[in-house]
Amino acid sequence: MENRGIIPAHRIALQHLDRVAIKDSHGSHTYLDVLLKAIKLSNMIKSSIGLEKNQERIGFLCPNDSTYVISQWACWAAGHIAVPLSPVHPPSLLGYYVKDCDAALIIASQSHSQLLNAVQETVGQDIKSVILEESWQQTINQNVTPTQLKSILCDTKPMEFYHNSDAMMLYTSGTTGKPKGVLLSHKNIDAQVRMLIEVWEWSKKDVIVHALPLHHTHGVINALLCPLYVGASCIMLPKFDSKAIWENFLNTNVSQEEKPTLFMGVPTMYSKLLSHYDSTYGETQRKREYVKASISNNFRVMISGSAALPEPVFYKWKAATGIEIVERYGMTEIGSVLSIPLEGERRPGYVGVPSPGVSIRLAEFQSSPLGSKANYQILFETSYDQFSKDYANDKVVGDLLIKGPNVFKCYWNKPEATAKDFTADGWFRTGDSVQFDNGYFKILGRLSADIIKSGGFKISALEIETHLLGHPEIADCTVFGIPDVTWGQKVAAVLVLANPEMSIDLIALKQWCKERMAPYIVPSEWRIYSELPRNALGKVNKVEFAKVAFNNNPGSSKL
Ligand code: AMP
């Protein structure tokens, strides 16, 4: 990777002033428009919390539109740490974040001012706030001379500031305890963004359709900062809506240059888009051919991550659009460290090779006394630079460890949690079990929730889910281990049926499973739900859900 120092997004904007940065329901916003508003807001932040203050945490509650980017850049221009908050979270959770990060100020759009009041109430103290009136959302197309711009920028931090300062805090979903604030420095963000620009060959000609949550690494780093670093355009949709996304994919009312070239989603988004496709475009051959031709002519790449992409979704998407989805793997703490290369084989169920700058170890940990650093044995080690087809014949399973400039600094105010997640020699323990197989990595799942230990076997719940989703009567499913006296854990599955009016024949289902899976991985406990409790990223909190689903809960029925 080219070594060019740390330049945060609002500074890179200077190279693309006339280009459209964001297209949202209020219009098209140029890089200049967003930058000027961001500097105005950064001055408001400084006068509110003090000119001398540095590196304070600033929460912001904005819709998915240009005001989100304005707020993020304003925090950076003023030298503070941006803490994006999701307006769909309840006030109590938002209150927890605000208290935990000790926010000095909250920025909120006018439409979220009531929510802001509710958050203030739960926190029990009046935190300073700035409300962005509706005019902040409008396009203004200001004209400034280069001299005026230079003097406006004089009020912001000098470039050297960003080499050693912190940029953003994103909260983990808290599956195993209270959510933790993942602190990312400007250096971390720079590394995470630049490795993806290289891997996915981003250029200013790109146009991305963005419908991901913006309090999560996928939405902020991959789908927003990547385009903004290269002068590309981002079509920001207010929320995920299958109909609106298809309309953007197939929009004929824009010039060729404005047509989307890129899409990123979590697997459930692809499934929902396919359901909409079936009911809207799938009925006639003419429509099907039209969709396939439009998408495959305009789109350069479509990417999935944040959870395992089921193979049936990969194949259905290919049949509908002609595009083979690129799968990638990442975490809030490290960014996207593994991806199928654009020119490489698109092997469903696999997440490809290391991203530039990333070093990878697969390891086996020995149990060690509480409080001491666990010892581990290295099973396999590689990096982007070393990676080559020489590895074609290795097959190794281990816990995934990561090192590189992309790895986060620490969990905010949680030194013990931070220490626990790093080995004595400085590698980050992802908590995921991974298999290296014939040149590509495959994610077996989270050790805490997806790896089921039954009768001496280590079973990947993700593998079973992928099989089950290939059954024509199953629309959705989740698999996990539940305690069992004989086996340690037994494999349990919760299904959502494709036709909720019908039931499923358990004996036939088990037979179907045995024809496709090793006998010891066929679930022995089954439940039916009408819907799974998935979060905005499409993930089920398995630890919590397992307790509910297998406790004779009225929402479920036993098979
Ligand atoms: P988050 O930090 O919320 O993005 O969650 C990170 C976790 O999501 C990882 O530790 C994995 O367990 C899971 N994950 C991310 N990408 C994938 C993928 N492509 N396949 C399977 N699991 C994934």
Side-chain angles (χ1 to χ4, degrees):
M1 259 196 312
E2 199 190 344
N3 185 9
R4 56 199 297 286
I6 308 299
I7 314 177
H10 70 283
R11 280 291 186 149
I12 294 175
L14 289 168
Q15 298 161 24
H16 311 287
L17 293 173
D18 297 336
R19 298 185 59 79
V20 170
I22 305 293
K23 235 177 163 185
D24 60 22
S25 53
H26 305 278
S28 295
H29 312 263
T30 62
Y31 280 86
L32 176 65
D33 186 6
V34 178
L35 179 61
L36 290 177
K37 283 183 185 155
I39 294 173
K40 182 174 162 195
L41 181 57
S42 84
N43 289 330
M44 290 163 71
I45 296 174
K46 285 190 271 186
S47 37
S48 172
I49 63 173
L51 291 178
E52 72 297 346
K53 289 277 171 71
N54 260 328
Q55 298 279 274
E56 295 290 325
R57 276 72 52 219
I58 312 283
F60 55 100
L61 267 173
C62 294
N64 289 20
D65 66 17
S66 66
T67 57
Y68 177 97
V69 184
I70 293 166
S71 303
Q72 184 192 58
W73 289 8
C75 295
W76 293 346
H80 297 302
I81 301 172
V83 188
L85 301 170
S86 168
V88 303
H89 283 160
S92 55
L93 184 57
L94 293 171
Y96 166 80
Y97 297 147
V98 166
K99 249 184 156 162
D100 182 73
C101 75
D102 190 18
L105 178 91
I106 307 178
I107 301 166
S109 65
Q110 179 77 52
S111 55
H112 296 128
S113 53
Q114 273 190 341
L115 179 58
L116 172 66
N117 291 341
V119 174
Q120 302 266 31
E121 258 173 50
T122 67
V123 176
Q125 71 193 78
D126 213 11
I127 299 172
K128 287 185 179 160
S129 60
V130 170
I131 298 287
L132 301 179
E133 312 290 338
E134 277 168 20
S135 60
W136 285 86
Q137 294 174 308
Q138 308 306 324
T139 53
I140 39 172
N141 294 325
Q142 305 170 72
N143 269 325
V144 288
T145 63
T147 325
Q148 283 169 321
L149 191 58
K150 225 174 167 185
S151 89
I152 295 170
L153 281 167
C154 273
D155 284 343
T156 65
K157 292 282 177 203
M159 289 301 293
E160 307 78 65
F161 174 83
Y162 300 101
H163 290 233
N164 282 312
S165 58
D166 297 326
M168 183 160 70
M169 199 136 86
L170 298 174
Y171 275 85
T172 61
S173 49
T175 30
T176 48
K178 288 249 179 215
K180 295 179 284 217
V182 175
L183 184 62
L184 297 165
S185 65
H186 282 285
K187 232 179 230 168
N188 294 148
I189 292 185
D190 191 81
Q192 293 186 4
V193 172
R194 291 195 182 285
M195 65 196 192
L196 295 186
I197 291 174
E198 195 170 329
V199 169
W200 295 328
E201 299 173 10
W202 278 94
S203 85
K204 63 178 170 207
K205 288 195 203 135
D206 278 315
V207 178
I208 184 169
V209 178
H210 190 306
L212 285 156
L214 280 160
H215 61 287
H216 187 268
T217 177
H218 197 164
V220 196
I221 302 277
N222 301 19
L224 184 68
L225 286 173
C226 281
L228 297 180
Y229 263 58
V230 295
S233 295
C234 183
I235 302 174
M236 288 178 95
L237 301 180
K239 62 178 174 40
F240 175 81
D241 171 41
S242 298
K243 184 166 175 277
I245 290 182
W246 276 110
E247 282 167 2
N248 272 283
F249 283 178
L250 303 170
N251 193 354
T252 49
N253 297 323
V254 288
S255 67
Q256 191 57 35
E257 293 73 48
E258 291 170 295
K259 288 193 173 165
T261 59
L262 237 139
F263 178 68
M264 289 182 193
V266 298
T268 42
M269 288 182 174
Y270 284 100
S271 299
K272 287 185 180 166
L273 287 169
L274 280 168
S275 303
H276 186 84
Y277 167 89
D278 286 343
S279 58
T280 313
Y281 306 104
E283 337 146 314
T284 67
Q285 172 135 7
R286 200 177 59 82
K287 281 190 194 170
R288 286 197 299 272
E289 280 171 4
Y290 168 71
V291 169
K292 200 169 190 168
S294 310
I295 303 274
S296 50
N297 284 341
N298 294 322
F299 278 83
R300 210 167 57 69
V301 55
M302 293 176 144
I303 302 161
S304 172
S306 293
L309 179 73
E311 278 183 44
V313 176
F314 175 93
Y315 286 114
K316 279 187 206 158
W317 192 261
K318 185 179 173 189
T321 65
I323 295 210
E324 293 184 330
I325 297 171
V326 161
E327 188 166 2
R328 59 107 197 134
Y329 159 88
M331 281 181 91
T332 311
E333 289 87 337
I334 53 179
S336 285
V337 293
L338 293 166
S339 171
I340 295 280
L342 287 192
E343 304 305 328
E345 176 200 357
R346 307 263 165 109
R347 202 189 305 165
Y350 287 76
V351 292
V353 303
S355 299
V358 175
S359 296
I360 291 206
R361 270 183 186 170
L362 294 193
E364 189 174 282
F365 281 81
Q366 283 102 48
S367 55
S368 52
L370 224 62
S372 73
K373 283 272 181 195
N375 291 321
Y376 68 95
Q377 187 196 344
I378 304 167
L379 305 174
F380 180 69
E381 180 160 3
T382 186
S383 67
Y384 172 74
D385 300 325
Q386 283 170 23
F387 203 82
S388 77
K389 285 279 168 197
D390 299 344
Y391 294 117
N393 296 317
D394 289 307
K395 192 166 184 170
V396 195
V397 172
D399 298 5
L400 180 66
L401 307 182
I402 299 289
K403 213 177 212 183
N406 55 305
V407 176
F408 76 123
K409 239 179 129 168
C410 63
Y411 293 115
W412 180 255
N413 268 346
K414 292 192 170 49
E416 278 171 23
T418 308
K420 202 166 90 14
D421 280 359
F422 283 88
T423 62
D425 53 352
W427 288 75
F428 175 64
R429 296 178 71 172
T430 62
D432 285 307
S433 174
V434 167
Q435 178 177 321
F436 182 77
D437 176 11
N438 204 9
Y440 275 179
F441 288 89
K442 181 184 180 73
I443 307 300
L444 302 179
R446 291 212 64 69
L447 290 157
S448 57
D450 296 312
I451 302 300
I452 304 165
K453 290 178 189 147
S454 183
F457 289 108
K458 278 191 189 168
I459 300 167
S460 161
L462 305 189
E463 187 192 336
I464 303 171
E465 286 167 7
T466 282
H467 280 299
L468 292 176
L469 288 171
H471 191 290
E473 290 168 50
I474 298 174
D476 198 2
C477 71
T478 185
V479 171
F480 36 74
I482 54 173
D484 182 79
V485 261
T486 315
W487 303 102
Q489 281 189 306
K490 56 185 166 183
V491 183
V494 180
L495 310 178
V496 175
L497 299 183
N499 184 347
E501 310 293 312
M502 304 280 282
S503 60
I504 193 163
D505 177 342
L506 182 60
I507 297 173
L509 174 61
K510 281 191 166 172
Q511 186 53 37
W512 183 92
C513 288
K514 280 181 193 150
E515 284 160 20
R516 289 160 179 83
M517 312 178 197
Y520 58 90
I521 76 168
V522 175
S524 55
E525 291 287 327
W526 302 81
R527 294 285 185 279
I528 305 282
Y529 263 65
S530 56
E531 205 183 345
L532 295 180
R534 293 191 178 276
N535 68 13
L537 273 304
K539 298 189 197 197
V540 176
N541 181 335
K542 292 189 177 185
V543 178
E544 287 306 312
F545 187 52
K547 290 184 209 153
V548 177
F550 287 87
N551 221 352
N552 299 324
N553 186 279
S556 70
S557 54
K558 194 171 189 297
L559 254 185

